[in-house]
Amino acid sequence: MKRVGIVCTAATLLAFAAPLLGHTWQPQQQDEKKQQDQKKQGQDKQQQQPPKQQQDQSKQQNQRAQQPQQDQNKQQQANKQQQDQNKQQQQRAQQQQNQNKQQQATKQQQDQNSQQQQRAQQQQQDQNKQQQQRAQQQQNQNKQQQATKQQQDQNRQQQQRAQQQQQDQNKQQQQVAKQQQDQNRQQSQRDQQQQQQSDRTQRAQVQRTQQQQVSQQREQQGAWQGRRASNFDSEHRSWQQRGGYNGFRIPDVYFTSYYGRDHYFRVYSLPFVEFGGNPRFQYGGYWFTAIDPYPEYWGDDWYQTDDVYVDYSNDGYYLYNRRYPGRPGIAISISL
């Protein structure tokens, strides 16, 4: 009965281990069948042997029956260890795959972050560049506006200056025209006065008797003879030496029309008087008084034979003799 139980147990274990043993199960099954046949033959022999031998045989059979079980257990342990190792290797492989995937995901994330940073930096650089360009454009526009404003200001100033200059020129022209009108009016008045004086002189000369003329000529001759210099260079004094000319001044327009080196005359035929011991004659509506003595190198009758003229030189009026060009003139004073 005990043997039958062992055999059943072994068969059960073998049936349980069959899926685990895989390809090694069929040879083991053949061995089990062979052992069962041998056990059955041994049992048949034991029934024929004496009890002690039967016990020994039973013991041996038990050992032989346990040996396959032990072998099976060892095989199962080895298989289990192999399975555990395979499982661990699979787990390690799975962990490695997971790590690789994690590393790849991390690397991809890092790459994405790096790309995003690069894009962000590029965008920031582009924005900065655009801002700089806009700032430069704004500066250029400001400079252009400033230059335009300066040009406009310059143009306006030039226009203002041109207008001011034109106004000043117009004003000056108006003033010159007014002065010219005043001068023309004065000239006309002087011409009238001179004409009137000439008319009076002519009438006086006509009315003058021959005896009066002879008397005036003698008077003029005596006056001039008494005013002859012994050494004109030492006796002559210019108006500057006399402290400056303070007498009446002939207007420039009138002066250039009737006086100067181109308007000469002779003293002898003009109205003549002696004033304060100095000879005085009238010409062009004005009285001229000789302040200096006349030079000794002038002839005795120069006032009758020489052409003379009145001119203004530097500091006052002088009477010059055309017979002696370049020589000093006689200082004269003018009055109405």
Side-chain angles (χ1 to χ4, degrees), residues 249-309:
R249 293 181 180 272
I250 302 173
D252 292 338
V253 175
Y254 188 78
F255 183 88
T256 56
S257 298
Y258 297 95
Y259 301 98
R261 66 176 59 249
D262 294 331
H263 301 281
Y264 49 86
F265 56 90
R266 293 185 180 181
V267 177
Y268 185 74
S269 61
L270 300 176
F272 178 86
V273 295
E274 191 172 3
F275 181 78
N278 295 324
R280 174 184 286 186
F281 61 90
Q282 189 182 45
Y283 174 71
Y286 298 97
W287 286 94
F288 298 89
T289 303
I291 306 300
D292 277 337
Y294 71 88
E296 70 278 6
Y297 48 82
W298 287 14
D300 293 339
D301 57 351
W302 65 269
Y303 49 87
Q304 185 177 3
T305 58
D306 295 349
D307 294 331
V308 296
Y309 62 91

Side-chain angles (χ1 to χ4, degrees), residues 133-295:
Q133 291 177 350
R134 286 194 294 271
Q136 186 65 34
Q137 291 176 355
Q138 186 64 36
Q139 289 179 356
N140 294 334
Q141 290 177 357
N142 294 335
K143 288 181 179 179
Q144 185 66 29
Q145 291 176 355
Q146 289 178 355
T148 302
K149 186 175 183 300
Q150 289 178 356
Q151 186 64 35
Q152 292 175 351
D153 293 339
Q154 290 178 358
N155 294 335
R156 185 169 58 255
Q157 291 175 359
Q158 289 178 356
Q159 290 177 356
Q160 291 176 353
R161 285 195 296 271
Q163 291 176 356
Q164 186 64 36
Q165 289 176 357
Q166 187 64 37
Q167 291 176 357
D168 293 340
Q169 289 178 358
N170 294 336
K171 188 175 180 181
Q172 289 177 358
Q173 289 176 356
Q174 291 174 357
Q175 291 177 351
V176 170
K178 186 175 183 302
Q179 290 177 356
Q180 186 65 36
Q181 290 176 356
D182 294 338
Q183 289 175 359
N184 292 335
R185 186 171 57 255
Q186 292 175 0
Q187 181 66 34
S188 178
Q189 292 175 355
R190 283 192 295 269
D191 291 342
Q192 290 177 0
Q193 291 176 358
Q194 186 176 7
Q195 185 64 38
Q196 291 173 359
Q197 182 65 31
S198 177
D199 293 341
R200 287 194 297 270
T201 301
Q202 288 179 0
R203 285 194 298 271
Q205 290 176 353
V206 170
Q207 293 174 357
R208 229 184 274 168
T209 63
Q210 185 176 2
Q211 185 177 1
Q212 288 174 339
Q213 290 178 355
V214 171
S215 176
Q216 185 176 0
Q217 290 174 0
R218 289 177 181 176
E219 182 182 1
Q220 186 174 174
Q221 182 178 6
W224 286 116
Q225 290 295 332
R227 294 291 296 168
R228 188 172 189 175
S230 299
N231 187 352
F232 183 75
D233 292 338
S234 61
E235 296 178 22
H236 164 71
R237 287 193 303 162
S238 66
W239 280 113
Q240 185 177 6
Q241 292 172 336
R242 297 174 185 273
Y245 179 78
N246 296 320
F248 183 83
R249 293 181 180 272
I250 302 173
D252 292 338
V253 175
Y254 188 78
F255 183 88
T256 56
S257 298
Y258 297 95
Y259 301 98
R261 66 176 59 249
D262 294 331
H263 301 281
Y264 49 86
F265 56 90
R266 293 185 180 181
V267 177
Y268 185 74
S269 61
L270 300 176
F272 178 86
V273 295
E274 191 172 3
F275 181 78
N278 295 324
R280 174 184 286 186
F281 61 90
Q282 189 182 45
Y283 174 71
Y286 298 97
W287 286 94
F288 298 89
T289 303
I291 306 300
D292 277 337
Y294 71 88

